Amino acid sequence: MNVLLDNLSLFREGFIGTLELTGASALVAMVLGVIIAGFRVSPVPPLRIFGTLWVTLLRNTPLTLLFLVAFFVVPKVLFPDLDSFLLAVAACGFYTSAFVAEAVRSGINTVPLGQAEAARSIGMTFTQTMRLIVLPQATRTVVPPLSSIFIALTKNTAIAGAFNNVDLFNVSKTLSNDGYDIAVIFIWITLAYLIITYAINGLFRLLEHRLEVAR
């Protein structure tokens, strides 16, 4: 207990850092994932090819490798002034967007094709059909897998702690270097991650319940 009480401010800073990384990365992943899913089912061949390449490349690339690219290649080639938080969000967000895209695409495929054809028959564009007809119905199917994806994202943000980001994993390194018992440190870090993941799970369960009622 002394490990927590003596370093409460450090634990709080790491907890908030993990929340910020998770939230920002989830937002990036959600926006990109929906766009890429739209590309994957688009009638335009170049967009379908781009979406397929995006998903295939990112799903089969280790997240640690993406962090190495983000921190050691991107600053030298593209954006030299980006701070470590934004680079970590980009790595986690881009990686997770591939999994979000596949979950959204699976949800889109559950919507009867006739509804999209009916929308096109009355003059709606592909974008309007997706936004007004398909995606609202696909949401009910997409919610459960998104819960698992964002829980995995929370745990994946731990890699950011090795790249000068203040998060729970970074806190464990700091306390270990200060001579505290590593087993006790990991117990408190694990409890902190459990709080976050259970909160995400509860939020998505509530959302799933509300969508079931709305049917």
Side-chain angles (χ1 to χ4, degrees):
M1 194 69 180
N2 290 337
V3 174
L4 177 64
L5 296 178
D6 294 344
N7 302 277
L8 190 58
S9 61
L10 184 61
F11 272 101
R12 182 173 62 248
E13 187 178 1
F15 187 82
I16 293 173
T18 296
L19 285 178
E20 291 175 342
L21 279 169
T22 302
S25 300
L27 180 60
V28 171
M30 196 67 205
V31 172
L32 282 177
V34 172
I35 293 173
I36 296 300
F39 286 179
R40 293 272 277 153
V41 298
S42 171
V44 182
L47 292 181
R48 289 202 306 272
I49 293 172
F50 179 84
T52 300
L53 289 175
W54 180 281
V55 170
T56 302
L57 179 63
L58 290 176
R59 288 185 71 184
N60 293 283
T61 300
L63 181 54
T64 304
L65 179 58
L66 289 182
F67 267 91
L68 292 174
V69 171
F71 278 83
F72 298 109
V73 177
V74 171
K76 293 182 179 180
V77 178
L78 297 174
F79 305 106
D81 297 326
L82 287 181
D83 61 25
S84 60
F85 177 81
L86 293 177
L87 292 172
V89 167
C92 287
F94 279 41
Y95 177 77
T96 308
S97 71
F99 296 89
V100 172
E102 284 300 274
V104 173
R105 185 177 69 88
S106 298
I108 290 173
N109 289 337
T110 64
V111 179
L113 183 60
Q115 297 198 27
E117 293 175 345
R120 286 195 295 270
S121 70
I122 61 175
M124 295 180 69
T125 65
F126 174 77
T127 303
Q128 289 174 326
T129 301
M130 290 293 294
R131 180 169 57 88
L132 300 175
I133 306 298
V134 177
L135 286 178
Q137 297 181 72
T139 301
R140 300 188 183 103
T141 308
V142 169
V143 168
L146 284 183
S147 174
S148 299
I149 290 171
F150 288 136
I151 287 174
L153 169 62
T154 303
K155 294 179 285 187
N156 287 339
T157 58
I159 300 176
F163 291 87
N164 297 323
N165 281 276
V166 179
D167 71 334
L168 289 168
F169 181 75
N170 186 269
V171 168
S172 69
K173 290 196 306 177
T174 301
L175 294 179
S176 178
N177 292 336
D178 290 342
Y180 288 96
D181 187 346
I182 191 65
V184 178
I185 295 171
F186 280 160
I187 289 174
W188 289 114
I189 296 297
T190 300
L191 288 174
Y193 274 112
L194 282 174
I195 291 172
I196 298 174
T197 55
Y198 269 102
I200 293 173
N201 185 61
L203 178 63
F204 274 89
R205 281 186 178 276
L206 178 62
L207 181 58
E208 187 178 357
H209 176 71
R210 287 183 176 275
L211 289 173
E212 286 178 350
V213 171
R215 291 188 180 186

